[in-house]
Amino acid sequence: SQQGEEDPQALSIQEGENATMNCSYKTSINNLQWYRQNSGRGLVHLILIRSNEREKHSGRLRVTLDTSKKSSSLLITASRAADTASYFCATCSGNTGKLIFGQGTTLQVKP
Amino acid sequence: DGGITQSPKYLFRKEGQNVTLSCEQNLNHDAMYWYRQDPGQGLRLIYYSQIVNDFQKGDIAEGYSVSREKKESFPLTVTSAQKNPTAFYLCASSSDHSGANVLTFGAGSRLTVL
């Protein structure tokens, strides 16, 4: 079962521009996480936002969470070519600790 | 360096054969997970284990089996009953951080059925 739906599926921008990705989910959550995946590699955790938080920052990353709309967004500011990757949201619900991943957004940053 | 090691990185299998993917972690994490990723898709949970000698089915467990005899190891067997096994398999582990569950992933194993 896919909990998260991400939008857009693909995004292409120029270096220096900002990139925004959105994630919508269906059920109540404990927290929502964003991961990054370089082509053919494992995923790397970027940031976690809890259900009682509305915004969180980490370096050039900004995550927002709107539990009333069941949606989250990831903003990458001043993008670099090295940010080229796929980005996934993942939701954690209940007490099993299971994470349910979205389909991902593929970001291409052109130098 | 602490981390998760998956092997082999690439594996080819003939139809009808069982194959076992290895996953070892030295992070002292209690929980371990196996996910499957198909091209252009998100991750789907196959099996997970929160403690040694215990594991639960995920969303797509049919045709797969696991064991958790040691804390460090969580091997996945792809059996001949799995009808479409060609995929990228990812192992992950976690320790609970104040109610969160942040995953650390291995580099993945790509299985191709010939």
Side-chain angles (χ1 to χ4, degrees), chain A residues 33 35 37 42 50 96-97 99 102, chain B residues 35 37 42 50 98 100-101 103 106:
Chain A
Q33 302 176 34
Y35 288 79
Q37 183 182 35
R50 299 180 189 276
T96 64
L99 285 186
Chain B
Y35 286 90
Q37 185 177 33
Q50 294 178 303
S98 302
N101 192 39
L103 299 186

Side-chain angles (χ1 to χ4, degrees), chain A residues 13-56:
Chain A
I13 59 174
Q14 294 294 135
E15 216 167 19
E17 294 180 339
N18 295 343
T20 299
M21 297 159 239
N22 302 296
C23 170
S24 61
Y25 57 92
K26 298 173 184 173
T27 63
S28 62
I29 60 172
N30 298 331
N31 64 72
L32 184 145
Q33 302 176 34
W34 285 89
Y35 288 79
R36 166 193 169 127
Q37 183 182 35
N38 285 48
S39 181
R41 305 297 300 273
L43 279 71
V44 175
H45 178 259
L46 295 176
I47 195 166
L48 177 151
I49 187 165
R50 299 180 189 276
S51 60
N52 61 353
E53 297 176 313
R54 291 298 165 258
E55 187 170 313
K56 207 160 183 183

Side-chain angles (χ1 to χ4, degrees), chain B:
Chain B
D1 281 339
I4 298 182
T5 302
Q6 289 188 239
S7 63
K9 189 169 177 63
Y10 299 97
L11 184 61
F12 298 90
R13 185 193 100 170
K14 294 181 180 178
E15 284 194 27
Q17 286 182 333
N18 292 357
V19 293
T20 298
L21 308 181
S22 170
C23 178
E24 303 278 331
Q25 54 102 356
N26 60 4
L27 300 165
N28 200 33
H29 285 173
D30 288 315
M32 297 187 74
Y33 306 80
W34 274 105
Y35 286 90
R36 169 182 172 139
Q37 185 177 33
D38 292 284
Q41 307 261 338
L43 280 65
R44 291 184 290 169
L45 184 63
I46 304 172
Y47 268 98
Y48 65 104
S49 167
Q50 294 178 303
I51 197 168
V52 175
N53 292 322
D54 189 40
F55 49 83
Q56 287 77 40
K57 293 181 180 180
D59 299 317
I60 56 166
E62 185 174 352
Y64 299 97
S65 66
V66 293
S67 63
R68 186 86 187 277
E69 297 176 1
K70 298 186 299 181
K71 187 175 186 178
E72 302 79 20
S73 179
F74 192 41
L76 174 74
T77 297
V78 184
T79 75
S80 56
Q82 169 50 236
K83 296 307 177 189
N84 186 20
T86 294
F88 189 50
Y89 291 88
L90 287 158
C91 179
S93 69
S94 73
S95 62
D96 191 88
H97 297 281
S98 302
N101 192 39
V102 173
L103 299 186
T104 301
F105 281 85
S109 293
R110 188 170 299 279
L111 172 63
T112 303
V113 174
L114 303 174

